[in-house]
Amino acid sequence: MNHGRTERLIDQARAKFRLDLSDLVVYTEAATGYFSLTPIIAALSGAKKVIALGADSKYGSFLEAKRTIQELARIYGCERRIRIAKEKRKEEVSEADIVTNLGFVRPIDKTMIGWMKPTACIPLMWEPWEYREQDIDLNECVKKGIVVLGTDESSTLLRTFDFVGILAVKLLLELDIEILMSSILVVGGGIFAGATVETLKRLGANVGWLSMAEYGSRPKASCVDRKTPFWIDITPECNNFIRSADAIVIVEHQERGELFGLQGKCSFGDLARINRGIAIAHICGTVDENELRDSGLNYIPNEIRKGGYMSVSTAYVGPRPLIDLHTAGLRVGELLARARLDGKDIDEAKRVAITQGPGKDFKSTL
């Protein structure tokens, strides 16, 4: 990690989103890689205390995460504000003004919500449409009066979705697909796919767009004109495009049905028979990983996550997307927490976070 640049990016994000967590307690995760920066951002933003919950995972051990965060905190001079925990404890959760919905904090279930104080809030580090029931018990939050609000990733200050396109570029280059003059099929709907199509076209790729989801439609994207081939099913024209395509980018983050595989509309074996040289870059979307592996097609990453989760996050391109997103999410939390501590009701607290920050409610849809 380039500590000098990382500190500069954190400072820029804090200033951009006007994040000030003074007198507030933050409960978040202790993770590895760039995800280790979240408690650092909170501490550098003046949080009275940051409790970071960690665990062993496929991404790294608890001890690795703890050592990483402690070293970062020492470098940035905020070690006294951070406590790293391995167990979820009532006395610590009950202190928190802001509880993030990040990996090791989840699930935020009935028990955990019961420990939270009435003025606590849960800022989502993504847009509300990305919500998964297994992550947060929203009904229990309503019963307890805990305010939950998403983060507007389309904000001009944030531009998370633009980084999804950059992520596709990085994966394709790792597959030795040059992009310029390459034929690439983007599979997915919604803003993730739209941003990916837009980015690849700007770099000179011949792009086809396939959305097999029920909501399949051509989202608004400034660079995506009507000349871009667009299909909502694997038609003969789409098949012809696949025959000469260099790669497929799978980037479906809303629909949970299987896109490719033995239960999908097309198997990877079928793809291999149509075009044995086609490469697969998987960002998100339900596919049959075992069938993909058996097909002999070249693909990335090695481990494919199930629908609703990203196999590779935007943090893979560098620290800026994560720093900006998590700073924005903490800003949403700050505004919600201060509003609730000032006696405002849930609706008024949400209004404050949406009008004064990058908050986005569940009522907003793409």
Side-chain angles (χ1 to χ4, degrees), residues 177-300:
I177 305 298
E178 304 88 350
I179 300 176
L180 178 64
M181 297 189 291
S182 297
S183 291
I184 301 168
L185 180 68
V186 175
V187 178
I191 199 165
F192 269 42
T196 302
V197 171
E198 184 174 358
T199 300
L200 295 177
K201 284 183 68 68
R202 282 178 170 162
L203 293 175
N206 174 33
V207 181
W209 187 353
L210 171 64
S211 176
M212 294 188 285
E214 291 182 3
Y215 65 88
S217 61
R218 183 193 298 264
K220 294 178 181 178
S222 60
C223 185
V224 183
D225 56 37
R226 292 288 165 179
K227 296 179 181 178
T228 302
F230 180 81
W231 304 281
I232 58 172
D233 206 346
I234 302 179
T235 64
E237 292 80 9
C238 182
N239 256 325
N240 286 335
F241 188 93
I242 292 172
R243 289 181 194 281
S244 59
D246 298 286
I248 294 176
V249 178
I250 302 173
V251 59
E252 173 56 67
H253 204 36
Q254 289 178 260
E255 178 66 27
R256 299 294 191 263
E258 188 169 290
L259 302 171
F260 291 103
L262 299 178
Q263 304 302 316
K265 293 186 178 180
C266 181
S267 71
F268 288 110
D270 291 337
L271 289 177
R273 283 186 286 275
I274 294 171
N275 181 351
R276 67 178 183 178
I278 201 165
I280 309 294
H282 185 274
I283 295 176
C284 50
T286 304
V287 300
D288 187 333
E289 182 179 4
N290 292 328
E291 206 256 334
L292 172 57
R293 188 178 300 110
D294 293 342
S295 71
L297 293 172
N298 191 21
Y299 69 93
I300 195 170

Side-chain angles (χ1 to χ4, degrees), residues 106-138:
R106 304 193 299 255
I108 302 176
D109 55 16
K110 181 177 181 179
T111 298
M112 185 177 181
I113 294 164
W115 293 344
M116 295 169 66
K117 59 186 180 182
T119 55
C121 67
I122 303 172
L124 307 178
M125 301 296 185
W126 29 251
E127 296 217 351
W129 61 267
E130 299 176 74
Y131 166 73
R132 298 180 295 256
E133 289 185 2
Q134 63 268 34
D135 290 351
I136 305 172
D137 188 335
L138 283 181

Side-chain angles (χ1 to χ4, degrees), residues 157-172:
L157 297 178
L158 195 52
R159 300 180 63 182
T160 298
F161 299 120
D162 290 338
F163 282 109
V164 175
I166 301 299
L167 175 60
V169 169
K170 183 168 184 176
L171 295 176
L172 288 166

Side-chain angles (χ1 to χ4, degrees), residues 284-326:
C284 50
T286 304
V287 300
D288 187 333
E289 182 179 4
N290 292 328
E291 206 256 334
L292 172 57
R293 188 178 300 110
D294 293 342
S295 71
L297 293 172
N298 191 21
Y299 69 93
I300 195 170
N302 291 328
E303 183 176 344
I304 306 296
R305 299 202 69 184
K306 64 182 181 180
Y309 295 85
M310 295 181 71
S311 292
V312 189
S313 77
T314 53
Y316 189 59
V317 306
R320 188 192 298 271
L322 181 137
I323 289 170
D324 280 1
L325 178 57
H326 288 196

